[in-house]
Structures are given as C-alpha cells and as structure tokens.
Amino acid sequence: MKTFTRREFIGASAMGLLAGMCLKSCKTGSNSTPFGWPMSFQSYGVREMLGEDFEGTMQRLYTAGYRGIEMCSPKGYENAGFAPLIRFSVSELRKKIEGAGLFCKTCHFQHPELKEPKLQETIQYAADLGLKDVVVSAAWLPEDASMDDWKNFADEMNQAGQEVINAGMQLVYHNHSIGPIVDGEQLYDVLMRLFDPRMVKMQFQIASVSEGFDVVEYIAKYPGRYISLHMHDWDAEQKKIVAIGKGIVDWKKLLNTAKEGGLADYGLIVEMETRKPGDPLQDLITCYQYLSGLNL
C-alpha cells in the first residue's frame, strides 16, 4: 500500500437486506469490471474522510461501484490518520463495512504488528475482521540495511507466514518500490528469492513504474507469487501518480498478465490520494469508470 504522499510519511431492516444482497453479488462483481471481478479501494487514500464519516464515505464508494475496502490497522496506522477508527472494536468495524455492502478481505499492518509479542494479537484481529490476507506494509529497516538484515526480515516473515496460514489466512508483502540495490541486486528480487512462496505472497505496487521499471515484466517474471495489486497510473511528464487511464500504464496487458499469473479474484485494489480541491473522491470514481469500460 502506498502513494508518494504516504511514502513521505447504509429503517435498519431495509439496510440489512441491501447489505446481504450486496455481499452475495460481491462474490463475482459486476460483469463490466475486469474479468467480472469486484474492485476494492485502499482506505489509506481516504483516511481523513473515513475518520470524519466512516459509513458515509463507504456508502458513496459503494454507489460508485466499489465492492471491497482494503483497511489499514487503526492501531498500527494511528499516527497516519486512522486514530478516529480506534474507537470501533473489530466486530463494530466489520459490521459497519458489511452494512455498507462492502467486503474486507485484506488489511495492511505495520511491521511490528507482525512480530512477537504482537503477532498473535494481530492474527486474532485479522480473523475477527474476516480477512483472507494479512498484509505487511514494508519492513521497518533503515535505508542502509545490510543483506543480513534483509535475510533476517525474510526469515521472520516466513515464520509469521506459517502462523498466519495456520489461522486460515495468507501473509502478503507489499512493496513500496523495486529498489534499492543490495549487494549488487535489486532488493525486490532479493526478497522474492528469500521469501518462501507459500508463506509469503505479494501485493504489487504499480507506482513502481515511476522508478523506470516495466511493471508488466515484473509481474510476468514471478507467476504464482502475486495475490493483489495496488492500482493507480503514472504521468511521466508531470512525474506524479494520476487516475487510472490517464498515464503510461498498459492496463490491458498488465491485468491479463496478472490474471494469468494467479492474481486473486479480490485482488484489484485502487489506491488514490484524496487531498485535492473539488470532489476528493473523483479520482477513485474515475479509476473505477475507466477499468469498468476496459475491453479485455
């Protein structure tokens, strides 16, 4: 999960019936979406709106077509804008999400939340939230971390991955970039070698295209490893993340490559920041509309 901004630091009975209908339809999504799969939005980009009006923001994005939300751990991301959501218990949070007609199958956690002594608490929280994927949002290691540091991290995640699997879920690693270079090799390739493919699946950050990498090539390079995507586009002239369809990414080729490689049917996750004048959700709506009209 990641944008450059973050890189720098639904009476009640009627609503319940609607939610149930929505949740049932979410299994396959709208036939107009890529592969007929439901699309999700990442909560980080709308964290301020969720903090101010959690149900209302989810309702609007449900109306726009989204069927899933990828959460961020409120405790882990307390200082990044999720503090208002700490007041909700995990059961309350899940009830509100499902009451809006959305599913939540994946959530981001900070590295320390996937380490002892917090690992089992995190796994229980994830299970109570109804997750399939427990995502670790990068490693808390310094920029000059050594190869041994990264090997220790990978061993730690492989062990945590087994505990997550034992609980009926999957541990997933989210990359913020492809680099840097560690002992003459791209860090991403190092991690792909060190992670046990069964213990740790991957969530690919499309913004890596900004580093000059062919993201489609990277997805094709590691078939069977990717479970989800963080989707946005890149304007090479303005050098900034833009709404999907307004940048340089070849979405037909990328999505077909990802599907062929084993991407989960809930793995299409749009992430856009909302800090801009006018309608703060417009970019998320634009992304959904573009992908819904894409002829694959």
Side-chain angles (χ1 to χ4, degrees), residues 60-71:
R60 180 145 183 236
L61 286 167
Y62 171 85
T63 299
Y66 287 97
R67 293 296 177 261
I69 178 173
E70 180 178 61
M71 280 299 300

Side-chain angles (χ1 to χ4, degrees), residues 34-35 206 215-216 219 229 231 233 244-245 247-261 263 268 290-296:
F35 319 122
I206 303 304
V215 294
V216 179
I219 292 172
L229 305 174
M231 306 190 300
D233 219 321
I244 294 171
I248 64 173
V249 176
D250 184 337
W251 288 98
K252 289 185 179 182
K253 186 175 181 180
L254 187 152
L255 292 172
N256 280 312
T257 300
K259 183 187 180 185
E260 291 170 4
L263 193 74
L268 303 178
Y290 177 84
L291 291 171
S292 293
L294 198 62
N295 183 12
L296 297 174

